[in-house]
Amino acid sequence: LEPVAKTTNALIRRVDLALERERRTTAGIAHELRTPISELLTVSEVALRNGHDPADSRHALGTVRDVAGRMGGTLSTLLELARLENRVEPIAHVDIDLGLLVRELLRAHQSIGRERELSIDNRIGAAEMVGGDPHLLRIILSNLIGNALHYSAPHSSITCQVERNGHGWSFVIENETRDLSPSDLAKLTEPFWRKDRARADRSHSGLGLALSQALAEKGGLGLTFELRGQVFRAGVSPKNGLATPGE
């Protein structure tokens, strides 16, 4: 009976871990929605009291729009995560111009870089071809790039590059950080986890890396996070032999 007991115990432990993740996620959702709802109620009450002032009313409407936009983004990401859990359609594996994709994503995020006065060193050349699912890879890289831009130290530099070896390719992005510690790396893909200092910024839900992890698992990719002194290094690379375009 010993092998049966060991197998049963291992199964129970996996179930316990899954339930604990569900409890943490549920608590995170409640926290994330409670805060903007309270903000909406407060802004609405103030606007109703000062309804005679057009400037105050416009400011209140702008705040309501911003809060609703953040809530919508959070809910969209949660729906995407739920959809991934039940996804049955096959993952595409086509040739992707990684250089073109990264340049497009950097342009889409360039306002953040200007605002924080960041220097971006994109070392990925033109026609840097890789194989994978273009939709999944675009979301993953967008989240990694956005994460680097939002959480890097102000006035610092960000580096994007492709590393190749006999086993395939790896997209790597590095940025300087002053908040992370090695013990934080294992928590980065937990839904709603954010460092205390980052939690004060309500524009980020803490779901980007969790979504990237789920997408990577569905697309046969692996995410890696490493801290080298004050340099945070995030990477994505294929698994299971999905190494080069056309394979």
Side-chain angles (χ1 to χ4, degrees), residues 140 144 189 209 211-214 216 221-225 235-237 239:
I140 293 170
L144 293 181
T189 57
L209 292 183
L211 175 60
S212 295
Q213 178 65 40
L221 301 168
L223 288 183
T224 58
F225 305 107
V236 57
S237 58
K239 299 188 294 185

Side-chain angles (χ1 to χ4, degrees), residues 68-114:
R70 295 201 304 269
M71 292 177 68
T74 297
L75 291 174
S76 295
T77 305
L78 288 171
L79 289 172
E80 181 71 13
L81 285 169
R83 187 183 66 83
L84 284 171
E85 292 298 323
N86 300 309
R87 179 169 180 166
V88 294
E89 63 266 28
I91 301 296
H93 186 66
V94 300
D95 293 355
I96 302 170
D97 188 335
L98 188 63
L100 177 61
L101 175 58
V102 170
R103 289 195 298 274
E104 289 178 357
L105 294 175
L106 288 174
R107 283 197 297 270
H109 289 86
Q110 63 184 352
S111 60
I112 306 171
R114 286 197 300 264

Side-chain angles (χ1 to χ4, degrees), residues 137 163 168-171 216 219-224 235-240 242:
L137 191 59
E163 298 178 355
W169 60 270
S170 178
F171 168 82
L221 301 168
L223 288 183
T224 58
V236 57
S237 58
K239 299 188 294 185
N240 302 325
L242 301 179

Side-chain angles (χ1 to χ4, degrees), residues 7 51 54 67 104 121 148 151 182 201 206 241:
T7 301
V67 174
E104 289 178 357
D121 181 11
Y151 297 118
D201 186 352

Side-chain angles (χ1 to χ4, degrees), residues 27-206:
I29 292 172
H31 174 81
E32 292 298 323
L33 294 181
R34 180 180 60 188
T35 300
I37 288 173
S38 297
E39 187 175 357
L40 287 175
L41 289 172
T42 300
V43 170
S44 300
E45 290 171 357
V46 172
L48 287 172
R49 287 198 299 267
N50 301 328
H52 59 280
D53 190 328
D56 284 348
S57 297
R58 287 184 60 84
H59 177 73
L61 285 173
T63 301
V64 169
R65 177 201 59 200
D66 294 342
V67 174
R70 295 201 304 269
M71 292 177 68
T74 297
L75 291 174
S76 295
T77 305
L78 288 171
L79 289 172
E80 181 71 13
L81 285 169
R83 187 183 66 83
L84 284 171
E85 292 298 323
N86 300 309
R87 179 169 180 166
V88 294
E89 63 266 28
I91 301 296
H93 186 66
V94 300
D95 293 355
I96 302 170
D97 188 335
L98 188 63
L100 177 61
L101 175 58
V102 170
R103 289 195 298 274
E104 289 178 357
L105 294 175
L106 288 174
R107 283 197 297 270
H109 289 86
Q110 63 184 352
S111 60
I112 306 171
R114 286 197 300 264
E115 180 183 340
R116 309 192 75 242
E117 299 183 19
L118 301 173
S119 172
I120 300 175
D121 181 11
N122 180 20
R123 301 177 184 175
I124 304 176
E128 187 76 60
M129 305 302 293
V130 300
D133 186 302
H135 174 66
L136 299 189
L137 191 59
R138 175 179 289 274
I139 297 175
I140 293 170
L141 295 191
S142 180
N143 283 329
L144 293 181
I145 291 171
N147 187 74
L149 290 168
H150 278 108
Y151 297 118
S152 62
H155 317 291
S156 62
S157 62
I158 293 173
T159 302
C160 299
Q161 59 189 333
V162 172
E163 298 178 355
R164 291 187 182 270
N165 53 41
H167 302 289
W169 60 270
S170 178
F171 168 82
V172 177
I173 183 167
E174 296 180 335
N175 65 277
E176 181 182 339
T177 180
R178 298 169 187 170
D179 299 322
L180 287 178
S181 63
S183 62
D184 294 329
L185 298 182
K187 307 172 186 175
L188 290 176
T189 57
E190 291 184 6
F192 301 110
W193 184 88
R194 285 167 295 183
K195 197 77 171 178
D196 290 342
R197 184 176 176 183
R199 186 168 286 276
D201 186 352
R202 291 172 296 181
S203 64
H204 307 296
S205 66

